[in-house]
Amino acid sequence: MSHGIEPAVDDTDRTGVWLVGARGNVATMSIVGARAIARGATNTTGMVTERDPVSSLELPPVEGFIFGGHDIEPESLVAQAERQCDRNGVPDADTLETVRDDLVAIDERIEVGTAVNCGAAVSEDSEQLAETLSIRDVIDQIRDDYETFRDSHDLERLVVVNVASTEPELAEPERYDTRDALERAIDEDDRDLPASVLYAYAAISSGHPFVNFTPSTANTLGGIRKLAAENEVPHVGRDAKTGETLVKSALAPMFAGRNLRVLSWEGHNILGNTDGLVLEDEANAAGKLSSKGDVLDSILPDIGHNRVRIDYTPSLADWKTAWDYIHFEGFLETEMKMQFTWEGSDSALAAPLVLDLVRLLSHADERGDGGLQPQLASFFKAPIGVDEHDFSRQLDRLYDYAEEHR
Ligand SMILES: O=P([O-])([O-])O[C@@H]1[C@@H](O)[C@H](O)[C@@H](O)[C@H](O)[C@@H]1O
């Protein structure tokens, strides 16, 4: 039995983290971050689970995480991390050196995945599971990869996290609203099902908690939600709230609370990483644009004009800039303006949340709490099954949960 190179903190608590899109920016930064924490090369700033009251829950230590994953990107994890270090300065060169051997070991556990129905922007120049396989065969292969990983590392639990590029939206998702309809579609080799659904189905039908960090369809399908509820498997999503939308969901309640009428809110996002490149394709961008825009519609139902743009600016690499212009009206019909600029390292904002979500879903799984996890809504732009978008109210739910279960 190989435990890989990473030290486990406690042999009875070995949590496996299976990243779909394991060589992408967010996955690479999550792995680098977890291993840097384990090796004492960085601290846990940015992790919600390291702050009271959430830190009082019994959560698996990040130092004990064992990583594996799927990807269609053949270039190694080390090469990805080196590129991020050179282009973005994150991680810095010293941190990268500290975790380099870990990355080499983890890279050997990354299996070839599928990008079926992910659009040309994602699947060009990739290595993929053979297109001749049936949908059922692809699911079986994915499940096999999960189980081999779990068994060979003697894992207590395996949490699957989708951090792959955003897929185009699935047309008529209500076709798969029941478990029967979804399973029949799989048996009939329905070629409309996208990769995220296959990964989510493989995970949840095998009893593995699932996180959808992206806007892709995955566990939002009715059939998958029913399967998770019936099998009591915890799952959560979708589209992590890391930057501009995080600020919006904290700021918009202020306008609502003071009865200031927002006439227009323009949000312009520019970034130069692979996510930005994929989102150049209109079909892939549709889901992201709607989860970013819907937050304001829900907090400010009488908003006059609400628009979000995302543009690819290659030279910015992973440094995402958002410029928001808010035109609003106050007493005596006085028109006023507010603007803000957010400049964030896209992956460094996302990575600690990946680690938090693995810990929190493991906690739910350990307690036997299956199905959706509404206490985790603050992590997402479009939390499945939760209508509340106000960041501080969402956080209250998490804090109440932590107080109750500490
Ligand atoms: O969280 P946020 O800054 O509003 O939204 C962001 C998107 O605008 C961006 O395109 C994507 O790359 C980020 O991962 C994140 O989802």
Side-chain angles (χ1 to χ4, degrees), residues 239-246 269 271 273 275 279 288 292 310 320 346 381:
D239 202 2
K241 186 157 77 174
T242 57
E244 188 217 16
T245 314
L246 173 66
N269 299 261
L271 75 169
N273 60 19
D275 201 26
L279 295 174
K288 177 74 81 184
K292 280 170 76 77
I310 306 176
K320 202 200 89 161
D346 208 25
K381 296 187 185 73

Short mmCIF file of all heavy atoms in Angstrom, two decimals, residues 239-246 269 271 273 275 279 288 292 310 320 346 381, ligand 1:
data_model
loop_
_atom_site.label_atom_id
_atom_site.label_comp_id
_atom_site.label_asym_id
_atom_site.label_seq_id
_atom_site.Cartn_x
_atom_site.Cartn_y
_atom_site.Cartn_z
N ASP A 239 -20.82 27.35 -8.35
CA ASP A 239 -20.05 28.54 -8.75
C ASP A 239 -19.54 29.32 -7.54
O ASP A 239 -20.23 30.21 -7.01
CB ASP A 239 -20.91 29.44 -9.66
CG ASP A 239 -20.03 30.34 -10.51
OD1 ASP A 239 -18.79 30.22 -10.41
OD2 ASP A 239 -20.58 31.16 -11.27
N ALA A 240 -18.34 29.02 -7.14
CA ALA A 240 -17.78 29.64 -5.93
C ALA A 240 -17.74 31.16 -6.04
O ALA A 240 -17.43 31.72 -7.09
CB ALA A 240 -16.38 29.10 -5.68
N LYS A 241 -18.06 31.78 -4.91
CA LYS A 241 -18.15 33.26 -4.86
C LYS A 241 -16.81 33.75 -4.32
O LYS A 241 -16.59 33.75 -3.11
CB LYS A 241 -19.31 33.59 -3.91
CG LYS A 241 -19.66 35.03 -3.83
CD LYS A 241 -21.09 35.23 -3.37
CE LYS A 241 -21.31 35.04 -1.89
NZ LYS A 241 -22.69 35.39 -1.49
N THR A 242 -15.95 34.19 -5.23
CA THR A 242 -14.57 34.45 -4.81
C THR A 242 -14.16 35.91 -4.92
O THR A 242 -13.26 36.34 -4.22
CB THR A 242 -13.60 33.62 -5.68
OG1 THR A 242 -13.82 33.96 -7.04
CG2 THR A 242 -13.80 32.14 -5.49
N GLY A 243 -14.76 36.67 -5.83
CA GLY A 243 -14.23 38.00 -6.11
C GLY A 243 -15.32 39.06 -6.21
O GLY A 243 -15.93 39.46 -5.22
N GLU A 244 -15.58 39.47 -7.45
CA GLU A 244 -16.54 40.56 -7.66
C GLU A 244 -17.90 40.24 -7.03
O GLU A 244 -18.51 41.09 -6.38
CB GLU A 244 -16.71 40.81 -9.17
CG GLU A 244 -17.54 42.04 -9.46
CD GLU A 244 -18.44 41.85 -10.68
OE1 GLU A 244 -18.65 40.72 -11.12
OE2 GLU A 244 -18.95 42.88 -11.18
N THR A 245 -18.39 39.02 -7.22
CA THR A 245 -19.72 38.68 -6.71
C THR A 245 -19.74 38.66 -5.18
O THR A 245 -20.74 38.99 -4.56
CB THR A 245 -20.19 37.33 -7.28
OG1 THR A 245 -19.94 37.33 -8.68
CG2 THR A 245 -21.67 37.11 -7.05
N LEU A 246 -18.61 38.31 -4.59
CA LEU A 246 -18.50 38.35 -3.13
C LEU A 246 -18.72 39.79 -2.65
O LEU A 246 -19.51 40.04 -1.73
CB LEU A 246 -17.10 37.83 -2.72
CG LEU A 246 -16.73 37.94 -1.26
CD1 LEU A 246 -17.60 37.04 -0.40
CD2 LEU A 246 -15.25 37.56 -1.06
N ASN A 269 -15.54 42.63 -15.76
CA ASN A 269 -14.46 41.77 -15.26
C ASN A 269 -13.48 41.49 -16.39
O ASN A 269 -13.90 41.10 -17.49
CB ASN A 269 -15.03 40.42 -14.81
CG ASN A 269 -16.04 40.57 -13.67
OD1 ASN A 269 -15.72 40.39 -12.53
ND2 ASN A 269 -17.28 40.93 -14.00
N LEU A 271 -9.75 39.28 -17.13
CA LEU A 271 -8.77 38.34 -16.59
C LEU A 271 -8.09 37.60 -17.74
O LEU A 271 -8.62 37.57 -18.86
CB LEU A 271 -9.39 37.37 -15.58
CG LEU A 271 -10.26 36.22 -16.05
CD1 LEU A 271 -10.52 35.28 -14.89
CD2 LEU A 271 -11.59 36.69 -16.59
N ASN A 273 -6.46 34.25 -17.42
CA ASN A 273 -6.13 32.83 -17.22
C ASN A 273 -6.98 31.95 -18.14
O ASN A 273 -7.77 32.44 -18.94
CB ASN A 273 -6.26 32.45 -15.73
CG ASN A 273 -7.67 32.65 -15.20
OD1 ASN A 273 -8.62 32.75 -15.98
ND2 ASN A 273 -7.81 32.70 -13.89
N ASP A 275 -9.51 30.18 -17.51
CA ASP A 275 -10.94 30.39 -17.29
C ASP A 275 -11.41 31.56 -18.17
O ASP A 275 -12.44 31.48 -18.84
CB ASP A 275 -11.17 30.71 -15.81
CG ASP A 275 -12.59 30.46 -15.39
OD1 ASP A 275 -13.25 29.63 -16.03
OD2 ASP A 275 -13.04 31.11 -14.44
N LEU A 279 -14.11 31.42 -21.19
CA LEU A 279 -15.32 32.24 -21.10
C LEU A 279 -15.45 33.22 -22.28
O LEU A 279 -16.46 33.91 -22.40
CB LEU A 279 -15.36 32.99 -19.76
CG LEU A 279 -15.48 32.09 -18.52
CD1 LEU A 279 -15.36 32.91 -17.23
CD2 LEU A 279 -16.78 31.30 -18.50
N LYS A 288 -21.91 31.34 -16.23
CA LYS A 288 -21.17 32.24 -15.33
C LYS A 288 -21.84 33.61 -15.28
O LYS A 288 -22.02 34.19 -14.22
CB LYS A 288 -19.73 32.34 -15.84
CG LYS A 288 -18.84 33.28 -15.08
CD LYS A 288 -18.42 32.75 -13.74
CE LYS A 288 -17.27 31.77 -13.84
NZ LYS A 288 -16.94 31.18 -12.53
N LYS A 292 -23.48 35.29 -11.86
CA LYS A 292 -22.94 36.56 -11.35
C LYS A 292 -24.02 37.65 -11.32
O LYS A 292 -24.06 38.47 -10.41
CB LYS A 292 -21.77 37.03 -12.22
CG LYS A 292 -20.46 36.30 -11.88
CD LYS A 292 -19.38 36.58 -12.90
CE LYS A 292 -18.75 37.95 -12.77
NZ LYS A 292 -17.80 38.09 -11.67
N ILE A 310 -17.58 39.79 -18.91
CA ILE A 310 -16.29 39.16 -18.61
C ILE A 310 -15.48 39.17 -19.90
O ILE A 310 -15.97 38.68 -20.92
CB ILE A 310 -16.45 37.69 -18.13
CG1 ILE A 310 -17.41 37.60 -16.94
CG2 ILE A 310 -15.09 37.10 -17.75
CD1 ILE A 310 -17.70 36.17 -16.47
N LYS A 320 -7.29 38.88 -11.66
CA LYS A 320 -8.60 39.28 -12.15
C LYS A 320 -8.97 40.66 -11.64
O LYS A 320 -8.91 40.92 -10.44
CB LYS A 320 -9.67 38.29 -11.71
CG LYS A 320 -10.86 38.36 -12.63
CD LYS A 320 -12.09 37.80 -12.00
CE LYS A 320 -12.81 38.90 -11.26
NZ LYS A 320 -14.20 38.58 -10.99
N ASP A 346 -7.02 35.30 -8.85
CA ASP A 346 -8.21 34.45 -9.00
C ASP A 346 -8.04 33.11 -8.27
O ASP A 346 -8.91 32.69 -7.50
CB ASP A 346 -8.44 34.22 -10.51
CG ASP A 346 -9.90 33.99 -10.85
OD1 ASP A 346 -10.76 34.44 -10.09
OD2 ASP A 346 -10.16 33.35 -11.88
N LYS A 381 -22.05 31.57 -5.64
CA LYS A 381 -22.81 32.61 -6.32
C LYS A 381 -24.26 32.18 -6.51
O LYS A 381 -25.17 33.01 -6.47
CB LYS A 381 -22.23 32.89 -7.71
CG LYS A 381 -20.82 33.44 -7.75
CD LYS A 381 -20.49 33.80 -9.19
CE LYS A 381 -19.06 34.25 -9.39
NZ LYS A 381 -18.06 33.17 -9.33
O1 LIG B 1 -16.35 35.37 -7.99
P1 LIG B 1 -16.37 36.42 -9.07
O2 LIG B 1 -15.14 37.28 -9.10
O3 LIG B 1 -17.61 37.20 -9.10
O4 LIG B 1 -16.42 35.62 -10.45
C1 LIG B 1 -15.25 35.21 -11.10
C2 LIG B 1 -15.52 35.26 -12.57
O5 LIG B 1 -15.80 36.58 -12.94
C3 LIG B 1 -14.30 34.83 -13.32
O6 LIG B 1 -14.58 34.79 -14.68
C4 LIG B 1 -13.83 33.46 -12.88
O7 LIG B 1 -12.62 33.14 -13.50
C5 LIG B 1 -13.62 33.45 -11.39
O8 LIG B 1 -13.21 32.17 -10.98
C6 LIG B 1 -14.83 33.86 -10.63
O9 LIG B 1 -15.88 32.92 -10.79
#
